[in-house]
């Protein structure tokens, strides 16, 4: 059973991810074509290199220093999942807080860690004034199935910075 805890700035470093396997083999993705969501074949392997990990560490450290939260899920003191929520409300009436990351190590997927992390992210966002969690989510069919199971739906208002940064992501929200 995973142990969940809030990560502190000084814990977030490259070594934290030594036992974390990002690898995701993607076959099909959701794409919006002529206003309709369809599944399209788009095979690729999503994995992180050292530059990606360095960028991730900086982003997660920034989340903590700016007043957001990073939760980790551990098995035997090894990080096997994490999530982050930014502290700034946006989206006007939507009162969104941004779920900037949620990842589970390849060797631990399907064991409830993602659900545990998502639940903690929602609780934190609600406690910090959000009415909805905003997610710019990977479009892989498996990723979207997870978000649907968590109660996410297409965002009422798209954040254009997210759309421009990741044009193939699905823009989702989860009412809190």
């Amino acid at each position: 059973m995973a142990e969940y805890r809030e990560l502190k700035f000084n814990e977030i470093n490259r070594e934290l991810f030594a036992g974390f396997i990002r690898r995701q083999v993607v076959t099909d993705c959701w794409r919006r074509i002529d206003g309709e969501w369809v599944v399209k074949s788009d095979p690729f392997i999503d994995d992180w290199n050292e530059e990606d990990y360095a960028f991730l560490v900086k982003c997660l450290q920034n989340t903590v220093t700016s007043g957001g939260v990073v939760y980790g899920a551990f098995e035997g003191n090894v990080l096997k999942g994490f999530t982050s929520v930014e502290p700034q409300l946006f989206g006007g009436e939507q009162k969104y807080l941004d779920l900037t990351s949620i990842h589970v190590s390849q060797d631990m997927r399907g064991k409830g860690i993602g659900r545990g992390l998502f639940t903690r992210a929602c609780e934190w966002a609600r406690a910090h004034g959000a009415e909805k969690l905003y997610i710019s989510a990977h479009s892989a069919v498996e990723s979207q199935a997870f978000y649907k199971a968590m109660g996410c739906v297409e965002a009422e208002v798209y954040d254009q910075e997210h759309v421009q940064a990741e044009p193939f992501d699905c823009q989702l929200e989860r009412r809190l």
Side-chain angles (χ1 to χ4, degrees), residues 39-97:
V39 175
K40 289 292 211 179
S41 177
D42 188 8
F44 64 96
I45 296 174
D46 199 356
D47 210 346
W48 291 335
N49 60 33
E50 286 305 315
E51 284 181 21
D52 296 326
Y53 277 107
F55 181 71
L56 172 67
V57 166
K58 285 182 183 178
C59 289
L60 295 177
Q61 288 175 336
N62 182 64
T63 297
V64 170
T65 59
S66 66
V69 70
V70 178
Y71 288 108
F74 294 84
E75 283 281 337
N77 293 322
V78 177
L79 182 76
K80 291 299 180 177
F82 63 94
T83 190
S84 58
V85 181
E86 302 305 315
Q88 300 84 15
L89 286 169
F90 69 99
E93 293 177 10
Q94 302 308 313
K95 291 190 178 177
Y96 287 129
L97 278 182

Side-chain angles (χ1 to χ4, degrees), residues 138-159:
H138 199 294
S139 62
V141 167
E142 299 83 2
S143 298
Q144 289 302 304
F146 166 77
Y147 288 113
K148 184 176 182 180
M150 296 299 102
C152 298
V153 296
E154 186 173 359
E156 285 184 34
V157 177
Y158 277 26
D159 179 75

Side-chain angles (χ1 to χ4, degrees), residues 103-121:
H103 296 281
V104 175
S105 185
Q106 183 183 35
D107 59 327
M108 296 301 289
R109 292 182 191 142
K111 298 179 190 240
I113 289 175
R115 178 177 295 279
L117 289 166
F118 193 84
T119 298
R120 283 162 178 78

Side-chain angles (χ1 to χ4, degrees), residues 7-18 53-54 56-58 60-61 79:
L7 299 178
K8 305 298 180 208
F9 178 90
N10 62 349
E11 295 179 272
I12 303 170
N13 55 49
R14 178 59 180 102
E15 293 75 36
L16 177 66
F17 298 93
Y53 277 107
L56 172 67
V57 166
K58 285 182 183 178
L60 295 177
Q61 288 175 336
L79 182 76

Side-chain angles (χ1 to χ4, degrees), residues 19-39:
F20 186 86
I21 306 165
R22 167 60 185 110
R23 185 178 173 86
Q24 182 177 0
V25 178
V26 177
T27 306
D28 296 324
C29 293
W30 284 96
R31 296 288 186 255
R32 189 173 207 153
I33 299 174
D34 298 326
E36 297 291 324
W37 286 102
V38 296
V39 175

